[in-house]
Amino acid sequence: MTSASAASLTRADTASEATGAAGLVAQGVSVTFRRGTQVIDALKDVSLNIPRGTRAALIGASGCGKSTLLRVFADIVQPTSGTASHYGLTPAEARANRVYALVQQGSTMLPWRTVIDNVALGLEIAGTSKPERLERAAESLALVGLKGFEKSLPAELSGGMRQRAAIARALTLRPRFLLMDEPFGALDEITRDRLHFELLRILEETGATLFLVTHSIAEAVILSDKVVVMTPRPGRISQVIDVDLGQHRTPATREDPRFGHYELMLRRALHHDA
Amino acid sequence: MTRELWMGRGARILPPVVLVAALVAIWGWSAATGLLPRWLLPGPGAVLHEFDVSRAVLLKHAQVTATEALGGCAIGSVLGVAAAMVMTLVAPLRQTLYAYALASRALPLIVFTPVLVIVVGRGIVPVMVIVSVTTYFPVFLGMMRGLERSNPDRMELLYSLSASPTQILWKVQLPSALPYLFAALKVAASTAFVNALVTEWIAANAGLGYLVMVSGQYFRLPLMWAAIFSAALMTLALLGLILLAERLAGRWTQQATEV
């Protein structure tokens, strides 16, 4: 398993480096759901290119298909037509080789496991030896600021701490892609603000590519280099806005006049489409 | 804090204890005044006296019934859990067998006891077989429901981590199913002794059920009631054991705080 995944990753890397191909690519992806007699176009002919190392946010009203697009990349939803790829790997190969890590909306935890055992879950499934996975889980926990909570149960943590634990779990696999589905949606604003900068720091340290689904304009601007605006019925991309606020961002970035400018731009893009 | 806790517990335990004491008092009073005819229900003193006098007989028959009920309950539970796990892992098996497994619950299994007696003879074996079959159904169904109703977000997480079906079963579905399993075990345990007793009437020459039947025929009513109370006490003991196990597995079974 390990040698096979290493081989395919090397192949994918060489391929993308040789062709200069991007990280996350969608080409003409359409997804149709049938609900009774109704046919719903969740995604219609979506093409997208997120270069590796980019922090990308996907924003749009409910039902615009942003979560569906993330699920296509996660190999949870199969496109009706078109293709999606990570570094040249299909979503199924990416999942099998654990190239991406998923952070879900509700910071899903297994309540009967301690925090460290929850964080080590991905490595446990991958067959990593116990001492190694505990060591790496402890590293991840330290990275998200949860040192000292290893033996706690998830129910003993606050919502923000559980979300950090979910991010730590994703990080233990050292993913190239972090697929996050409204990860901060359920948190209070103060906690959310703090986690934004922690996520940015973690991305700088790990060099992972971020693919974040959000419905918060401020969150999209502060976290990303590229904002993909989507519109519903049928779900499609209406605009891709490059956010030029530099690589390193701090709470002061929000006071930058350009921050307000991008917020306004996004708001207009969203309202224009609605 | 401790005092409040103790008082809280006292407030919870006191009403049922008072109720039982009151019922026994009413029972004693109606037996003493002749309101309750003695041939129907002898007084509590007579039944208690019988426990003392016939201790050896009661103990002998209680041992037989306990072996049948506990053994049958254990076999049925293990089979029920195993069948539910196999059907969860092997989809074609589930598709072909699940409907029949549900439908077979409609069969009054106890009527097959005479056939069973012809095949295996009288004694502990046919009773244990009937108890295990009647235990099997609630446990299998409860386990199946628990395995099917695992939280979809947890299932999706494991899927995204590329977990195999066996890993998903062990790491998510089984722990998620434990509250359902314990609920089913309580149902199974409460019927295990009753089923053992009733089956003994047909299939055995020993056991509390046999004792109830025989002492009833000879109008030894205090002995009959002592046997009935013995079976009830053993049922309560078994339920208590299951509750204790559930409490000990607290982390796995108390999932009220959905995380």
Side-chain angles (χ1 to χ4, degrees), chain B residues 183-242:
Chain B
L185 281 179
K186 281 179 235 166
V187 172
S190 60
T191 58
F193 279 95
V194 176
N195 286 322
L197 254 61
V198 173
T199 314
E200 279 170 4
W201 293 351
I202 311 168
N205 295 328
L208 289 174
Y210 173 78
L211 190 61
V212 166
M213 188 177 64
V214 170
S215 53
Q217 282 165 355
Y218 287 91
F219 288 101
R220 291 194 55 189
L221 289 207
L223 181 61
M224 186 183 97
W225 281 99
I228 291 172
F229 281 121
S230 304
L233 285 175
M234 286 197 290
T235 300
L236 288 178
L238 179 57
L239 280 173
L241 274 178
I242 292 170

Short mmCIF file of all heavy atoms in Angstrom, two decimals, chain B residues 183-242:
data_model
loop_
_atom_site.label_atom_id
_atom_site.label_comp_id
_atom_site.label_asym_id
_atom_site.label_seq_id
_atom_site.Cartn_x
_atom_site.Cartn_y
_atom_site.Cartn_z
N ALA B 183 -29.97 -2.02 24.95
CA ALA B 183 -31.43 -1.96 25.01
C ALA B 183 -32.01 -3.32 24.64
O ALA B 183 -32.92 -3.82 25.30
CB ALA B 183 -31.94 -0.88 24.07
N ALA B 184 -31.45 -3.96 23.61
CA ALA B 184 -31.94 -5.26 23.16
C ALA B 184 -31.65 -6.34 24.20
O ALA B 184 -32.48 -7.21 24.46
CB ALA B 184 -31.30 -5.63 21.83
N LEU B 185 -30.46 -6.26 24.82
CA LEU B 185 -30.10 -7.26 25.84
C LEU B 185 -31.07 -7.22 27.01
O LEU B 185 -31.42 -8.24 27.58
CB LEU B 185 -28.67 -7.02 26.33
CG LEU B 185 -27.55 -7.52 25.42
CD1 LEU B 185 -26.20 -7.20 26.04
CD2 LEU B 185 -27.67 -9.02 25.20
N LYS B 186 -31.52 -6.00 27.36
CA LYS B 186 -32.45 -5.88 28.48
C LYS B 186 -33.77 -6.56 28.13
O LYS B 186 -34.36 -7.25 28.96
CB LYS B 186 -32.66 -4.41 28.83
CG LYS B 186 -31.52 -3.84 29.64
CD LYS B 186 -31.72 -2.38 29.95
CE LYS B 186 -30.55 -1.56 29.48
NZ LYS B 186 -30.82 -0.13 29.46
N VAL B 187 -34.23 -6.36 26.89
CA VAL B 187 -35.46 -7.02 26.46
C VAL B 187 -35.27 -8.54 26.49
O VAL B 187 -36.11 -9.27 27.03
CB VAL B 187 -35.83 -6.58 25.02
CG1 VAL B 187 -36.99 -7.41 24.50
CG2 VAL B 187 -36.16 -5.10 25.00
N ALA B 188 -34.14 -9.00 25.96
CA ALA B 188 -33.87 -10.44 25.89
C ALA B 188 -33.78 -11.03 27.29
O ALA B 188 -34.36 -12.09 27.57
CB ALA B 188 -32.57 -10.68 25.13
N ALA B 189 -33.10 -10.34 28.20
CA ALA B 189 -32.90 -10.87 29.55
C ALA B 189 -34.22 -10.97 30.30
O ALA B 189 -34.44 -11.91 31.06
CB ALA B 189 -31.93 -9.96 30.31
N SER B 190 -35.11 -10.00 30.06
CA SER B 190 -36.35 -10.02 30.82
C SER B 190 -37.25 -11.17 30.37
O SER B 190 -38.09 -11.62 31.13
CB SER B 190 -37.08 -8.69 30.67
OG SER B 190 -37.36 -8.46 29.31
N THR B 191 -37.06 -11.68 29.16
CA THR B 191 -37.90 -12.78 28.71
C THR B 191 -37.21 -14.14 28.85
O THR B 191 -37.86 -15.18 28.73
CB THR B 191 -38.31 -12.60 27.24
OG1 THR B 191 -37.12 -12.50 26.46
CG2 THR B 191 -39.15 -11.36 27.06
N ALA B 192 -35.88 -14.14 29.09
CA ALA B 192 -35.14 -15.41 29.09
C ALA B 192 -35.68 -16.39 30.13
O ALA B 192 -35.94 -17.55 29.83
CB ALA B 192 -33.65 -15.14 29.33
N PHE B 193 -35.89 -15.91 31.37
CA PHE B 193 -36.36 -16.82 32.42
C PHE B 193 -37.81 -17.26 32.17
O PHE B 193 -38.15 -18.42 32.37
CB PHE B 193 -36.21 -16.16 33.79
CG PHE B 193 -34.81 -16.26 34.32
CD1 PHE B 193 -33.90 -15.23 34.13
CD2 PHE B 193 -34.39 -17.41 34.99
CE1 PHE B 193 -32.60 -15.33 34.60
CE2 PHE B 193 -33.08 -17.51 35.46
CZ PHE B 193 -32.19 -16.48 35.26
N VAL B 194 -38.64 -16.32 31.70
CA VAL B 194 -40.04 -16.67 31.40
C VAL B 194 -40.08 -17.77 30.34
O VAL B 194 -40.77 -18.79 30.50
CB VAL B 194 -40.81 -15.43 30.89
CG1 VAL B 194 -42.22 -15.83 30.49
CG2 VAL B 194 -40.83 -14.35 31.95
N ASN B 195 -39.30 -17.59 29.29
CA ASN B 195 -39.28 -18.59 28.22
C ASN B 195 -38.74 -19.92 28.71
O ASN B 195 -39.24 -20.98 28.32
CB ASN B 195 -38.46 -18.09 27.03
CG ASN B 195 -39.21 -17.02 26.25
OD1 ASN B 195 -40.42 -17.12 26.09
ND2 ASN B 195 -38.50 -16.00 25.80
N ALA B 196 -37.73 -19.86 29.58
CA ALA B 196 -37.18 -21.11 30.13
C ALA B 196 -38.26 -21.83 30.95
O ALA B 196 -38.47 -23.04 30.79
CB ALA B 196 -35.97 -20.80 31.00
N LEU B 197 -38.96 -21.07 31.79
CA LEU B 197 -40.00 -21.67 32.64
C LEU B 197 -41.08 -22.35 31.80
O LEU B 197 -41.45 -23.50 32.06
CB LEU B 197 -40.64 -20.57 33.51
CG LEU B 197 -40.27 -20.55 34.99
CD1 LEU B 197 -38.78 -20.34 35.17
CD2 LEU B 197 -41.05 -19.47 35.71
N VAL B 198 -41.58 -21.61 30.80
CA VAL B 198 -42.68 -22.14 29.99
C VAL B 198 -42.22 -23.37 29.21
O VAL B 198 -42.94 -24.36 29.10
CB VAL B 198 -43.22 -21.04 29.06
CG1 VAL B 198 -44.25 -21.63 28.11
CG2 VAL B 198 -43.83 -19.92 29.87
N THR B 199 -41.00 -23.32 28.69
CA THR B 199 -40.51 -24.46 27.91
C THR B 199 -40.32 -25.68 28.79
O THR B 199 -40.53 -26.81 28.35
CB THR B 199 -39.19 -24.08 27.21
OG1 THR B 199 -39.34 -22.81 26.61
CG2 THR B 199 -38.84 -25.10 26.13
N GLU B 200 -39.94 -25.45 30.04
CA GLU B 200 -39.76 -26.58 30.97
C GLU B 200 -41.05 -27.38 31.15
O GLU B 200 -41.00 -28.59 31.37
CB GLU B 200 -39.28 -26.07 32.33
CG GLU B 200 -37.79 -25.78 32.38
CD GLU B 200 -37.40 -25.05 33.66
OE1 GLU B 200 -38.27 -24.85 34.52
OE2 GLU B 200 -36.22 -24.66 33.78
N TRP B 201 -42.21 -26.69 31.06
CA TRP B 201 -43.49 -27.41 31.21
C TRP B 201 -43.60 -28.52 30.19
O TRP B 201 -44.18 -29.55 30.44
CB TRP B 201 -44.67 -26.44 31.01
CG TRP B 201 -44.78 -25.42 32.09
CD1 TRP B 201 -44.07 -25.39 33.25
CD2 TRP B 201 -45.64 -24.28 32.10
NE1 TRP B 201 -44.43 -24.30 33.99
CE2 TRP B 201 -45.40 -23.59 33.31
CE3 TRP B 201 -46.60 -23.78 31.22
CZ2 TRP B 201 -46.06 -22.44 33.64
CZ3 TRP B 201 -47.27 -22.62 31.56
CH2 TRP B 201 -47.01 -21.95 32.76
N ILE B 202 -43.05 -28.27 29.01
CA ILE B 202 -43.18 -29.24 27.93
C ILE B 202 -41.97 -30.15 27.85
O ILE B 202 -42.09 -31.33 27.57
CB ILE B 202 -43.35 -28.51 26.58
CG1 ILE B 202 -44.43 -27.44 26.68
CG2 ILE B 202 -43.65 -29.50 25.46
CD1 ILE B 202 -44.46 -26.49 25.51
N ALA B 203 -40.80 -29.57 28.09
CA ALA B 203 -39.60 -30.26 27.65
C ALA B 203 -38.66 -30.72 28.76
O ALA B 203 -37.58 -31.22 28.46
CB ALA B 203 -38.83 -29.37 26.69
N ALA B 204 -39.04 -30.52 30.04
CA ALA B 204 -38.06 -30.87 31.06
C ALA B 204 -38.68 -31.55 32.27
O ALA B 204 -39.88 -31.45 32.51
CB ALA B 204 -37.31 -29.60 31.50
N ASN B 205 -37.84 -32.23 33.04
CA ASN B 205 -38.26 -32.86 34.27
C ASN B 205 -37.60 -32.19 35.46
O ASN B 205 -37.52 -32.76 36.54
CB ASN B 205 -37.89 -34.34 34.26
CG ASN B 205 -38.66 -35.08 33.19
OD1 ASN B 205 -39.79 -34.72 32.87
ND2 ASN B 205 -38.02 -36.08 32.60
N ALA B 206 -37.09 -31.02 35.25
CA ALA B 206 -36.46 -30.27 36.33
C ALA B 206 -36.51 -28.79 35.98
O ALA B 206 -36.83 -28.42 34.86
CB ALA B 206 -35.01 -30.73 36.50
N GLY B 207 -36.21 -27.97 36.99
CA GLY B 207 -36.22 -26.52 36.76
C GLY B 207 -37.40 -25.88 37.47
O GLY B 207 -38.35 -26.56 37.87
N LEU B 208 -37.33 -24.57 37.64
CA LEU B 208 -38.37 -23.86 38.38
C LEU B 208 -39.73 -23.95 37.70
O LEU B 208 -40.77 -24.03 38.35
CB LEU B 208 -37.97 -22.38 38.57
CG LEU B 208 -36.82 -22.14 39.54
CD1 LEU B 208 -36.42 -20.67 39.52
CD2 LEU B 208 -37.19 -22.57 40.95
N GLY B 209 -39.74 -23.96 36.38
CA GLY B 209 -40.99 -24.07 35.64
C GLY B 209 -41.65 -25.42 35.92
O GLY B 209 -42.86 -25.50 36.16
N TYR B 210 -40.84 -26.45 35.92
CA TYR B 210 -41.32 -27.80 36.24
C TYR B 210 -41.85 -27.82 37.67
O TYR B 210 -42.92 -28.36 37.94
CB TYR B 210 -40.15 -28.78 36.07
CG TYR B 210 -40.46 -30.19 36.52
CD1 TYR B 210 -41.22 -31.05 35.73
CD2 TYR B 210 -39.99 -30.66 37.75
CE1 TYR B 210 -41.50 -32.33 36.15
CE2 TYR B 210 -40.26 -31.94 38.18
CZ TYR B 210 -41.02 -32.77 37.38
OH TYR B 210 -41.30 -34.04 37.79
N LEU B 211 -41.11 -27.16 38.58
CA LEU B 211 -41.50 -27.11 39.99
C LEU B 211 -42.84 -26.38 40.16
O LEU B 211 -43.70 -26.80 40.91
CB LEU B 211 -40.40 -26.41 40.79
CG LEU B 211 -40.52 -26.48 42.32
CD1 LEU B 211 -40.47 -27.91 42.80
CD2 LEU B 211 -39.40 -25.65 42.97
N VAL B 212 -43.02 -25.27 39.43
CA VAL B 212 -44.27 -24.52 39.47
C VAL B 212 -45.42 -25.43 39.06
O VAL B 212 -46.46 -25.51 39.72
CB VAL B 212 -44.21 -23.28 38.54
CG1 VAL B 212 -45.60 -22.69 38.31
CG2 VAL B 212 -43.28 -22.23 39.12
N MET B 213 -45.20 -26.17 37.97
CA MET B 213 -46.26 -27.02 37.43
C MET B 213 -46.61 -28.13 38.43
O MET B 213 -47.78 -28.32 38.78
CB MET B 213 -45.80 -27.61 36.11
CG MET B 213 -46.88 -28.37 35.37
SD MET B 213 -46.27 -28.95 33.78
CE MET B 213 -44.99 -30.09 34.30
N VAL B 214 -45.58 -28.81 38.91
CA VAL B 214 -45.81 -29.96 39.79
C VAL B 214 -46.41 -29.51 41.13
O VAL B 214 -47.39 -30.08 41.61
CB VAL B 214 -44.49 -30.74 40.00
CG1 VAL B 214 -44.66 -31.78 41.09
CG2 VAL B 214 -44.07 -31.38 38.70
N SER B 215 -45.84 -28.44 41.73
CA SER B 215 -46.36 -28.02 43.03
C SER B 215 -47.78 -27.48 42.89
O SER B 215 -48.59 -27.61 43.82
CB SER B 215 -45.43 -26.97 43.66
OG SER B 215 -45.21 -25.92 42.76
N GLY B 216 -48.10 -26.92 41.72
CA GLY B 216 -49.47 -26.48 41.47
C GLY B 216 -50.41 -27.66 41.43
O GLY B 216 -51.49 -27.66 42.05
N GLN B 217 -49.97 -28.74 40.77
CA GLN B 217 -50.81 -29.93 40.65
C GLN B 217 -51.06 -30.57 42.01
O GLN B 217 -52.12 -31.13 42.25
CB GLN B 217 -50.16 -30.95 39.71
CG GLN B 217 -50.35 -30.59 38.25
CD GLN B 217 -49.42 -31.35 37.33
OE1 GLN B 217 -48.55 -32.10 37.78
NE2 GLN B 217 -49.60 -31.17 36.04
N TYR B 218 -50.08 -30.49 42.91
CA TYR B 218 -50.22 -31.08 44.24
C TYR B 218 -50.74 -30.09 45.26
O TYR B 218 -50.68 -30.34 46.44
CB TYR B 218 -48.89 -31.68 44.69
CG TYR B 218 -48.56 -32.95 43.94
CD1 TYR B 218 -47.82 -32.91 42.77
CD2 TYR B 218 -49.01 -34.20 44.40
CE1 TYR B 218 -47.53 -34.05 42.06
CE2 TYR B 218 -48.73 -35.35 43.70
CZ TYR B 218 -47.99 -35.28 42.53
OH TYR B 218 -47.71 -36.41 41.83
N PHE B 219 -51.20 -28.91 44.79
CA PHE B 219 -51.71 -27.85 45.65
C PHE B 219 -50.73 -27.43 46.72
O PHE B 219 -51.12 -27.07 47.81
CB PHE B 219 -53.05 -28.28 46.28
CG PHE B 219 -54.14 -28.27 45.26
CD1 PHE B 219 -54.58 -29.46 44.68
CD2 PHE B 219 -54.70 -27.08 44.85
CE1 PHE B 219 -55.57 -29.45 43.72
CE2 PHE B 219 -55.69 -27.07 43.88
CZ PHE B 219 -56.12 -28.25 43.31
N ARG B 220 -49.45 -27.49 46.41
CA ARG B 220 -48.46 -26.96 47.36
C ARG B 220 -48.18 -25.51 46.96
O ARG B 220 -47.14 -25.18 46.41
CB ARG B 220 -47.19 -27.80 47.35
CG ARG B 220 -47.41 -29.18 47.94
CD ARG B 220 -46.11 -29.86 48.22
NE ARG B 220 -45.21 -29.05 49.07
CZ ARG B 220 -43.96 -29.38 49.30
NH1 ARG B 220 -43.45 -30.46 48.79
NH2 ARG B 220 -43.21 -28.60 50.07
N LEU B 221 -49.19 -24.67 47.23
CA LEU B 221 -49.12 -23.31 46.72
C LEU B 221 -47.95 -22.48 47.26
O LEU B 221 -47.34 -21.72 46.50
CB LEU B 221 -50.45 -22.59 46.97
CG LEU B 221 -51.59 -23.08 46.09
CD1 LEU B 221 -52.59 -21.97 45.88
CD2 LEU B 221 -51.10 -23.57 44.74
N PRO B 222 -47.61 -22.57 48.55
CA PRO B 222 -46.45 -21.79 48.99
C PRO B 222 -45.20 -22.13 48.18
O PRO B 222 -44.44 -21.24 47.80
CB PRO B 222 -46.29 -22.19 50.46
CG PRO B 222 -47.66 -22.60 50.89
CD PRO B 222 -48.28 -23.25 49.67
N LEU B 223 -45.00 -23.42 47.88
CA LEU B 223 -43.82 -23.82 47.10
C LEU B 223 -43.91 -23.25 45.68
O LEU B 223 -42.92 -22.76 45.13
CB LEU B 223 -43.72 -25.35 47.06
CG LEU B 223 -42.51 -25.90 46.30
CD1 LEU B 223 -41.21 -25.43 46.94
CD2 LEU B 223 -42.55 -27.43 46.26
N MET B 224 -45.12 -23.29 45.10
CA MET B 224 -45.29 -22.75 43.76
C MET B 224 -44.92 -21.26 43.73
O MET B 224 -44.18 -20.81 42.87
CB MET B 224 -46.74 -22.94 43.32
CG MET B 224 -46.98 -22.54 41.89
SD MET B 224 -48.72 -22.68 41.44
CE MET B 224 -49.24 -21.02 41.65
N TRP B 225 -45.42 -20.53 44.70
CA TRP B 225 -45.12 -19.08 44.71
C TRP B 225 -43.65 -18.82 45.01
O TRP B 225 -43.07 -17.88 44.48
CB TRP B 225 -46.03 -18.37 45.71
CG TRP B 225 -47.39 -18.17 45.10
CD1 TRP B 225 -48.50 -18.92 45.30
CD2 TRP B 225 -47.73 -17.18 44.14
NE1 TRP B 225 -49.53 -18.47 44.54
CE2 TRP B 225 -49.09 -17.38 43.80
CE3 TRP B 225 -47.04 -16.13 43.52
CZ2 TRP B 225 -49.76 -16.60 42.88
CZ3 TRP B 225 -47.71 -15.34 42.60
CH2 TRP B 225 -49.06 -15.57 42.30
N ALA B 226 -43.06 -19.66 45.86
CA ALA B 226 -41.63 -19.49 46.14
C ALA B 226 -40.83 -19.69 44.86
O ALA B 226 -39.87 -18.97 44.58
CB ALA B 226 -41.19 -20.48 47.21
N ALA B 227 -41.25 -20.67 44.03
CA ALA B 227 -40.55 -20.92 42.76
C ALA B 227 -40.73 -19.73 41.82
O ALA B 227 -39.79 -19.29 41.15
CB ALA B 227 -41.08 -22.19 42.12
N ILE B 228 -41.96 -19.19 41.77
CA ILE B 228 -42.21 -18.03 40.90
C ILE B 228 -41.35 -16.84 41.33
O ILE B 228 -40.71 -16.18 40.51
CB ILE B 228 -43.71 -17.66 40.93
CG1 ILE B 228 -44.52 -18.77 40.23
CG2 ILE B 228 -43.95 -16.31 40.23
CD1 ILE B 228 -46.02 -18.61 40.36
N PHE B 229 -41.30 -16.60 42.66
CA PHE B 229 -40.50 -15.47 43.13
C PHE B 229 -39.01 -15.70 42.87
O PHE B 229 -38.28 -14.76 42.57
CB PHE B 229 -40.75 -15.23 44.63
CG PHE B 229 -42.03 -14.48 44.89
CD1 PHE B 229 -43.03 -15.01 45.68
CD2 PHE B 229 -42.21 -13.21 44.33
CE1 PHE B 229 -44.21 -14.31 45.91
CE2 PHE B 229 -43.39 -12.51 44.55
CZ PHE B 229 -44.39 -13.05 45.33
N SER B 230 -38.58 -16.95 42.96
CA SER B 230 -37.16 -17.23 42.68
C SER B 230 -36.82 -16.85 41.24
O SER B 230 -35.78 -16.23 40.97
CB SER B 230 -36.86 -18.72 42.87
OG SER B 230 -37.21 -19.12 44.15
N ALA B 231 -37.72 -17.22 40.31
CA ALA B 231 -37.47 -16.88 38.90
C ALA B 231 -37.44 -15.37 38.71
O ALA B 231 -36.58 -14.83 38.00
CB ALA B 231 -38.56 -17.51 38.03
N ALA B 232 -38.36 -14.67 39.39
CA ALA B 232 -38.41 -13.21 39.27
C ALA B 232 -37.12 -12.59 39.80
O ALA B 232 -36.54 -11.69 39.19
CB ALA B 232 -39.61 -12.67 40.03
N LEU B 233 -36.64 -13.11 40.94
CA LEU B 233 -35.42 -12.56 41.53
C LEU B 233 -34.23 -12.78 40.60
O LEU B 233 -33.38 -11.90 40.44
CB LEU B 233 -35.14 -13.22 42.89
CG LEU B 233 -36.06 -12.72 44.02
CD1 LEU B 233 -35.80 -13.50 45.31
CD2 LEU B 233 -35.85 -11.22 44.26
N MET B 234 -34.18 -13.96 39.97
CA MET B 234 -33.05 -14.21 39.05
C MET B 234 -33.12 -13.30 37.82
O MET B 234 -32.10 -12.83 37.33
CB MET B 234 -33.03 -15.68 38.65
CG MET B 234 -32.54 -16.58 39.78
SD MET B 234 -32.03 -18.21 39.24
CE MET B 234 -33.57 -18.92 38.82
N THR B 235 -34.34 -13.04 37.33
CA THR B 235 -34.49 -12.11 36.21
C THR B 235 -33.96 -10.73 36.59
O THR B 235 -33.21 -10.10 35.84
CB THR B 235 -35.97 -11.99 35.80
OG1 THR B 235 -36.43 -13.27 35.42
CG2 THR B 235 -36.14 -11.03 34.64
N LEU B 236 -34.35 -10.29 37.80
CA LEU B 236 -33.89 -8.98 38.26
C LEU B 236 -32.37 -8.95 38.38
O LEU B 236 -31.72 -7.96 38.03
CB LEU B 236 -34.53 -8.63 39.60
CG LEU B 236 -36.02 -8.27 39.54
CD1 LEU B 236 -36.55 -7.99 40.94
CD2 LEU B 236 -36.23 -7.05 38.65
N ALA B 237 -31.80 -10.05 38.88
CA ALA B 237 -30.34 -10.11 39.03
C ALA B 237 -29.66 -10.00 37.67
O ALA B 237 -28.67 -9.27 37.50
CB ALA B 237 -29.94 -11.41 39.71
N LEU B 238 -30.21 -10.69 36.67
CA LEU B 238 -29.62 -10.64 35.33
C LEU B 238 -29.73 -9.24 34.74
O LEU B 238 -28.76 -8.69 34.18
CB LEU B 238 -30.33 -11.66 34.41
CG LEU B 238 -29.84 -11.72 32.96
CD1 LEU B 238 -28.35 -12.03 32.91
CD2 LEU B 238 -30.62 -12.76 32.17
N LEU B 239 -30.91 -8.61 34.92
CA LEU B 239 -31.07 -7.22 34.44
C LEU B 239 -30.07 -6.30 35.13
O LEU B 239 -29.48 -5.43 34.50
CB LEU B 239 -32.50 -6.74 34.71
CG LEU B 239 -33.54 -7.20 33.71
CD1 LEU B 239 -34.93 -6.80 34.18
CD2 LEU B 239 -33.26 -6.58 32.33
N GLY B 240 -29.89 -6.53 36.44
CA GLY B 240 -28.93 -5.72 37.18
C GLY B 240 -27.52 -5.86 36.62
O GLY B 240 -26.81 -4.87 36.47
N LEU B 241 -27.16 -7.10 36.28
CA LEU B 241 -25.83 -7.34 35.71
C LEU B 241 -25.65 -6.58 34.40
O LEU B 241 -24.60 -5.98 34.14
CB LEU B 241 -25.62 -8.83 35.46
CG LEU B 241 -25.12 -9.66 36.63
CD1 LEU B 241 -25.01 -11.12 36.24
CD2 LEU B 241 -23.76 -9.13 37.10
N ILE B 242 -26.72 -6.61 33.58
CA ILE B 242 -26.62 -5.92 32.28
C ILE B 242 -26.51 -4.42 32.48
O ILE B 242 -25.71 -3.74 31.83
CB ILE B 242 -27.83 -6.29 31.39
CG1 ILE B 242 -27.73 -7.77 31.01
CG2 ILE B 242 -27.88 -5.43 30.14
CD1 ILE B 242 -28.95 -8.32 30.36
#
